[in-house]
Amino acid sequence: MLAPLAAEQNDKQLAVLTAARKVFLEHGFSAATTDMIQRAAGVSKATMYACFPNKEALFVAVIEHLCASMTSTFKAMRPSPGSITKTLTDLGMSCLDIVLSPDALALNRVIMAEAPRFPELGRRFYLAGPKVVIAMIAEQLREAVEIGEINVQSIGMEAAATLFLSMIRAQAQMECLTHPGTRPSAAQKDYWVQIAVTTFLAAFGVATAAPVSAKD
C-alpha cells in the first residue's frame, strides 16, 4: 500500500506546484495568495500545506523546478572538438531558447520586482538559474581550452563563461522584457548569437595556421 500512497502524494504535490507556477507568474509573489494556489490546484488546504509549509517554500520550489527544466538542455549538450565556433553557436542558441522562453521572461520579471523586498528569493533564483548555466558554459569552455581552441587565462574560466552569457542575452533579453509579447525571429536570434560568438573568439580565440592545399 505504501507505493500507491507515495504516488498519490507526488501527484498532489505536482498539482500544487503547477498551480503555484501559474499563479506566481501571473500575479507575482506579493499579490499571489495560498488561497488562489489552493483553488487552482483543486486540493485542500491541509494537502497543500502538507506538501509545502508556506508561500515562500512554494515559490522557492517553483523557482528551482522552472530553472531545472530550463537548464536540462545544457546537461545533454556535448562540445564539438575542433569546431569552437559550432560549440559556442550551439551554446548561444540554447541560452537564448532558455532566457527568451515565456516562463523564463515571466519569472525574471517577478524576481526583479520582488528581490528588493525578498532578497533571499532573488538569491535562490540566481543560484538555481544563472549560476548553473554559467557553470555549464565554463565546463564546455574548459574542454576547448584543453585542446587549444581558446585561451581565457587573462580573465579565468568562470569570468569568460559569464562574459559569453552576458553577450548572448543582454540585448535579446532586454528587448523581450520591455516589449511583452515580442517573439524574435530565428534570423534575429542567429544574428545575436553570431555577434557574441565572433566577439568572444576575437578576444579569446587561438589563431591557427591556414591549411595547406594539396597542390601547394
Side-chain angles (χ1 to χ4, degrees):
M1 294 295 294
L2 290 178
L5 286 174
E8 181 183 359
Q9 182 67 17
N10 286 338
D11 287 344
K12 290 181 178 179
Q13 186 172 11
L14 181 58
V16 173
L17 191 60
T18 301
R21 180 184 67 183
K22 184 176 185 298
V23 171
F24 283 133
L25 294 187
E26 286 184 2
H27 301 278
F29 177 75
S30 297
T33 67
T34 53
D35 286 341
M36 293 163 66
I37 295 169
Q38 177 209 344
R39 288 194 298 270
V43 300
S44 68
K45 270 284 183 68
T47 295
M48 186 177 70
Y49 285 124
C51 296
F52 303 97
N54 51 49
K55 189 170 79 166
E56 288 79 6
L58 246 178
F59 191 49
V60 168
V62 167
I63 290 172
E64 293 178 345
H65 181 74
L66 279 173
C67 288
S69 176
M70 292 171 192
T71 57
S72 61
T73 303
F74 275 97
K75 295 179 181 179
M77 288 186 66
R78 295 293 179 268
S80 301
S83 181
I84 184 59
T85 299
K86 184 178 186 310
T87 295
L88 292 175
T89 299
D90 290 345
L91 281 172
M93 290 304 299
S94 293
C95 286
L96 281 189
D97 287 343
I98 289 173
V99 302
L100 301 186
S101 68
D103 277 356
L105 291 170
L107 180 60
N108 205 287
R109 291 188 185 98
V110 172
I111 292 295
M112 295 305 106
E114 303 292 356
R117 290 188 296 273
F118 304 98
E120 180 57 28
L121 296 179
R123 181 64 178 168
R124 295 295 287 266
F125 166 72
Y126 175 75
L127 293 177
K131 187 70 173 177
V132 170
V133 172
I134 289 169
M136 291 178 176
I137 293 174
E139 188 59 34
Q140 300 269 356
L141 295 183
R142 183 172 287 105
E143 296 194 30
V145 167
E146 289 173 355
I147 63 176
E149 291 183 301
I150 58 173
N151 184 342
V152 298
Q153 186 175 5
S154 60
I155 64 172
M157 199 73 69
E158 184 172 342
T162 302
L163 178 62
F164 182 70
L165 177 60
S166 297
M167 288 193 296
I168 286 291
R169 71 181 185 181
Q171 182 181 356
Q173 189 179 52
M174 182 60 70
E175 284 195 20
C176 291
L177 283 173
T178 54
H179 298 78
T182 297
R183 300 297 297 168
S185 66
Q188 178 64 72
K189 292 199 295 186
D190 182 68
Y191 175 72
W192 284 325
V193 169
Q194 292 312 313
I195 286 178
V197 171
T198 300
T199 303
F200 188 85
L201 290 180
F204 305 111
V206 176
T208 57
V212 179
S213 66
K215 58 185 177 183
D216 289 341

